[in-house]
Amino acid sequence: MTKIALIAGSPTQNSRLFGMTQYVVDRLALAGFDVELISAAELPAEDLLRANFNSPAIRQALAAVEQSAAVIIASPVFKASYSGALKTVLDLVPQKGFQGKVVLPLFIGGTIAHLLAVDYALKPVVSVLGGTNILGGVFAVDGWITRTEHGGFALEGQLRERLDSAVNELVLELRHVAAVCDRNKQEQAV
């Protein structure tokens, strides 16, 4: 089963961002993918801030990224950039930690004016970490996601459609990459 790491950069667990990420995780599970969530809010804060590479939680998170074929990077936008919580996680990823991986950004902000945070704030960092296969991703506005009375989230139709499209693109790209790898292995065996 193909593994995907999802790095959620929200500093809180009740963020609308988790409405998006849960929707995507559910769709990927239906498609047969194994998604491991790395939540900045659940990692030990002191280990993150002090870059404690000996922390079991940090080692587990980095192993999930290393073993994945794709990385979904999800964050709320604060002051025209991704969250500081996400930055602390990205700072721990090895220099070429995203090399050979498909990267899918999922961002959420108060207004569409923050849309370019993906291109101007995230993509340069992903590139420095070796990421070259960065999909377009999805930017959502807070108002497109509402909390339900049972503690879940409801997503507007246009957002669900855009997330479905992003998941389909990720699945197709992962299948393409796997086919190329298989073909290369067959050619080397000959």
Side-chain angles (χ1 to χ4, degrees):
M1 182 177 292
T2 303
K3 294 185 179 202
I4 299 172
L6 192 160
I7 302 172
S10 177
T12 64
Q13 289 297 349
N14 65 348
S15 171
R16 287 182 178 91
L17 177 72
F18 289 106
M20 289 176 63
T21 59
Q22 189 58 57
Y23 185 88
V24 167
V25 167
D26 291 346
R27 294 301 175 274
L28 288 168
L30 287 172
F33 292 90
D34 179 27
V35 181
E36 184 166 347
L37 175 65
I38 302 162
S39 174
E42 290 182 3
L43 291 171
E46 186 168 340
D47 291 343
L48 277 174
L49 293 175
R50 295 184 185 275
N52 181 0
F53 290 96
N54 293 320
S55 162
I58 300 299
R59 285 198 318 261
Q60 181 179 351
L62 294 177
V65 171
E66 182 181 344
Q67 296 164 6
S68 69
V71 179
I72 299 170
I73 302 175
S75 180
V77 175
F78 301 118
K79 302 199 180 357
S81 186
Y82 54 83
S83 72
L86 176 60
K87 178 69 167 119
T88 61
V89 175
L90 294 177
D91 283 346
L92 298 174
V93 174
Q95 185 69 30
K96 296 296 178 187
F98 291 158
Q99 188 169 6
K101 299 182 187 313
V102 180
V103 178
L104 174 66
L106 299 177
F107 275 42
I108 188 168
T111 72
I112 201 73
H114 294 296
L115 172 67
L116 293 177
V118 174
D119 289 327
Y120 292 109
L122 181 68
K123 285 184 179 181
V125 174
V126 170
S127 179
V128 166
L129 294 173
T132 57
N133 193 349
I134 307 167
L135 303 180
V138 175
F139 182 91
V141 176
D142 287 339
W144 297 348
I145 302 172
T146 55
R147 290 182 180 86
T148 64
E149 59 186 58
H150 301 294
F153 297 93
L155 283 61
E156 284 194 5
Q158 66 173 329
L159 178 55
R160 287 192 310 272
E161 289 173 13
R162 292 178 61 223
L163 290 170
D164 286 341
S165 179
V167 167
N168 290 338
E169 182 183 15
L170 176 60
V171 169
L172 288 173
E173 189 63 23
L174 285 171
R175 288 183 180 150
H176 172 74
V177 168
V180 169
C181 288
D182 286 346
R183 194 168 43 248
N184 288 343
K185 286 179 187 175
Q186 290 173 356
E187 289 173 1
Q188 290 174 354
V190 173

